[in-house]
Amino acid sequence: MPTVPAKAAEAVKTRLKRLLGMADQPKAAELPAVEPFPKPIESQSVSKPPEAPAVVTTKRAKPGQTVSTPERMAFPGIYKRPDEVAKEAAERVAPESPNLQRLFGVTRDDLYQIARGREGNLPGTLPGLAANPKGMRGGAEQITNRRNTQRLLDANAEAEKYPELVRGMDAWYVMDPLYQKMERELGPEAAKREYDMMNKFMGMASPGSEVTTEIPRGTAAYYLYKQGRFPEFERFAGVPAAQRGLDFPQDLLTVPGHVYHSTAQAKPMRRFVESGELDMSSPKVPMYIEASGVPEVGFQTKTPVGDAHWSRAVGLADIREAKNFGKSVSNSEMYSLAPWWREKVAGELGIEPVSAQGRTWGVFSPQTGVTTPIGAPKLELIADQVVEAAQRMGITPEQALQLFIRGEARLGKKEGGSVTKRYNEGGLAAAEQPQQQPSQDEMMAMQILDMAREMGVSPEEVIMMLMEQQSAPASGLSMAPNE
């Protein structure tokens, strides 16, 4: 996390504007979101969703707004007519990748059939709850009122007119075919142990990441742990590509860097390596890991994965008093809202709460700031990353999948990836040319921009928070994933 001395604040602001071409900083609602769900393959294209208008601050609901006594209208699109919301989402569904069928022998519809009506065997208990939790400040009625509940039900029901939308999103977390491959390769007991470990490493790589960044980083951590080299992940996986010199480990050279590597990702991973236990008190990542589980290891379907887009879709961004109102849920918020989601939303739709969260993420994706097509389940994204790893290593996809299952290879393409393009661009060629490396001020500016996107605020507000209390961004990250 960068430290911003008071005397450097104005210089950083100026450098931000110069580096990133921002004559004026965008409003919070205009900042692009970091997504927890599928990013399409590069050959896919989609029309860009309409930009969200500036936040309107209000203590009274605007026309069409269904939350009670709002602070603002942060994402007005969520209040569009339900048929329009569903239609816009359906237009952005990504084509199905053939790699899913090739590597795992299933289609999106097969995964959907697995997900239908299947209840998890874990309770979905929130981590870090107080002994006597009080729930969210002011109560949950602002979100759980009849009009807001009906809005969510209507939009999700309209989505059922578009099977291509519902199939992929209802089954987004189904990972059974991967586990079954691992069981055949490793045997039942080893498969349980290795799947659990791999799934946790990927989940802990999710804060602040798209899934296409989470997968190569999480599988790199898993691979290095299996090789007895986890300290190398801690030391090197957060280094921007432009700063990776010739002495950098060659098999890590193209692992995507991450501006939050040392705070939100490597630290929880280190605690897991040392204790064997997942030690995270925020609700999003643990619920995400459990939702991505399988029956043999344990999985949950009762508590929605409260990422930033779910928070925005249900209206939390409109009632929060905090500046970073677009973030993922807190424990107190989910404690108050989970029963309502189970009974009044998912229950009325006739699907499990986790499936309802996946569908809602897709249905409201144009409205909450998602900028990529939707519809590809997580297993499909993994299949694409296996193929990219095969191309990187010069082997067949089947061979790459076998190496990955054994913990002998990471996933991801040769070029790696990035949360912020400018942060991670350059690769080996740039690393060999010190004069092209970014200055400390430039790196600080890039990190501040990423924090602003993560927290849903302007870069100037991040600077102010950093100056007031240096721990603010880290605590925000601990609750977000994939925000």
Side-chain angles (χ1 to χ4, degrees):
M1 178 175 61
T3 298
V4 185
K7 63 181 181 181
E10 289 304 317
V12 172
K13 289 181 184 179
T14 302
R15 184 62 61 93
L16 263 172
K17 293 180 180 180
R18 182 177 68 78
L19 282 174
L20 305 168
M22 297 186 295
D24 296 298
Q25 301 293 350
K27 301 290 185 182
E30 298 173 331
L31 289 169
V34 181
E35 304 157 26
F37 275 72
K39 181 176 181 179
I41 57 176
E42 294 181 1
S43 61
Q44 297 167 358
S45 61
V46 66
S47 57
K48 191 174 182 180
E51 291 188 4
V55 174
V56 177
T57 302
T58 174
K59 282 289 185 180
R60 299 181 62 183
K62 295 292 183 181
Q65 194 172 18
T66 56
V67 297
S68 305
T69 58
E71 295 287 327
R72 65 190 67 79
M73 185 183 279
F75 299 92
I78 67 173
Y79 301 112
K80 286 184 177 182
R81 280 176 27 189
D83 58 334
E84 293 179 359
V85 169
K87 182 175 183 295
E88 288 182 25
E91 291 171 349
R92 305 175 68 234
V93 172
E96 183 167 343
S97 170
N99 297 325
L100 179 62
Q101 174 78 51
R102 174 176 178 174
L103 291 174
F104 297 109
V106 294
T107 64
R108 289 181 185 175
D109 187 63
D110 292 329
L111 298 178
Y112 174 66
Q113 297 304 325
I114 293 172
R116 290 184 64 183
R118 186 174 73 164
E119 295 185 19
N121 52 16
L122 295 178
T125 303
L126 294 173
L129 278 179
N132 297 299
K134 297 179 179 179
M136 56 191 290
R137 181 182 300 178
E141 174 57 28
Q142 289 173 275
I143 298 295
T144 63
N145 70 70
R146 181 188 58 80
R147 290 185 64 221
N148 198 47
T149 303
Q150 194 63 49
R151 171 182 67 84
L152 292 161
L153 285 172
D154 290 346
N156 277 289
E158 286 289 333
E160 294 177 359
K161 297 178 180 178
Y162 305 96
E164 68 280 9
L165 171 62
V166 168
R167 281 197 304 266
M169 301 318 300
D170 281 22
W172 197 87
Y173 295 95
V174 174
M175 299 285 283
D176 297 44
L178 172 57
Y179 177 80
Q180 291 157 8
K181 287 271 187 181
M182 296 180 75
E183 191 174 55
R184 287 193 290 270
E185 180 71 24
L186 305 174
E189 292 308 312
K192 291 177 184 178
R193 180 180 65 252
E194 297 304 321
Y195 182 89
D196 182 61
M197 186 183 305
M198 175 209 66
N199 186 37
K200 285 175 178 173
F201 273 118
M202 279 203 287
M204 288 184 285
S206 69
S209 302
E210 294 177 339
V211 175
T212 48
T213 297
E214 168 202 327
I215 293 171
R217 282 183 55 80
T219 60
Y222 172 62
Y223 156 69
L224 289 171
Y225 173 75
K226 292 287 291 179
Q227 303 300 312
R229 299 169 54 199
F230 182 73
E232 293 183 44
F233 180 84
E234 293 178 287
R235 178 179 176 186
F236 294 108
V239 177
Q243 295 183 0
R244 298 179 180 186
L246 293 176
D247 59 343
F248 200 88
Q250 293 301 294
D251 58 347
L252 303 185
L253 194 61
T254 58
V255 172
H258 201 295
V259 71
Y260 304 134
H261 168 78
S262 62
T263 54
Q265 298 186 9
K267 284 185 177 180
M269 289 180 185
R270 164 52 63 186
R271 292 194 292 267
F272 174 65
V273 166
E274 291 175 346
S275 69
E277 300 293 331
L278 188 66
D279 181 17
M280 302 184 77
S281 59
S282 61
K284 187 270 154 186
V285 173
M287 293 300 96
Y288 176 49
I289 289 170
E290 289 190 0
S292 302
V294 294
E296 294 82 353
V297 175
F299 75 113
Q300 71 92 12
T301 59
K302 294 303 181 186
T303 302
V305 180
D307 71 289
H309 295 288
W310 183 84
S311 295
R312 297 168 187 178
V314 302
L316 274 171
D318 287 354
I319 69 166
R320 287 168 167 157
E321 297 179 1
K323 287 184 178 180
N324 53 337
F325 50 77
K327 66 179 183 179
S328 60
V329 297
S330 65
N331 264 317
S332 60
E333 289 170 336
M334 186 56 78
Y335 175 77
S336 296
L337 297 178
W340 159 75
W341 185 259
R342 293 185 193 112
E343 298 168 15
K344 301 300 183 182
V345 181
E348 291 295 321
L349 292 170
I351 58 179
E352 287 294 295
V354 166
S355 289
Q357 179 261 322
R359 185 191 297 187
T360 299
W361 188 95
V363 169
F364 287 94
S365 60
Q367 322 307 334
T368 62
V370 180
T371 57
T372 56
I374 55 176
K378 185 175 183 179
L379 186 66
E380 185 175 327
L381 298 179
I382 289 175
D384 285 341
Q385 296 257 350
V386 171
V387 171
E388 290 175 343
Q391 294 170 347
R392 185 188 79 236
M393 295 184 286
I395 58 179
T396 68
E398 288 77 12
Q399 290 171 323
L401 179 58
Q402 186 179 48
L403 289 175
F404 164 59
I405 286 173
R406 292 176 179 173
E408 297 173 4
R410 64 174 179 85
L411 301 186
K413 57 188 177 182
K414 187 172 184 178
E415 306 86 78
S418 176
V419 174
T420 299
K421 181 180 178 182
R422 297 189 67 165
Y423 170 77
N424 211 32
E425 67 184 359
L428 179 60
E432 292 173 335
Q433 302 176 44
Q435 69 274 17
Q436 293 186 8
Q437 294 181 8
S439 68
Q440 290 185 345
D441 281 352
E442 289 172 329
M443 289 302 301
M444 183 182 296
M446 294 171 198
Q447 291 182 40
I448 288 171
L449 182 65
D450 257 355
M451 288 181 182
R453 287 172 172 164
E454 170 77 16
M455 299 170 71
V457 299
S458 70
E460 286 91 348
E461 288 175 298
V462 172
I463 292 171
M464 290 178 62
M465 283 186 274
L466 285 168
M467 293 175 66
E468 290 171 0
Q469 56 174 48
Q470 295 296 327
S471 63
S475 62
L477 273 175
S478 69
M479 299 192 307
N482 300 6
E483 275 190 296

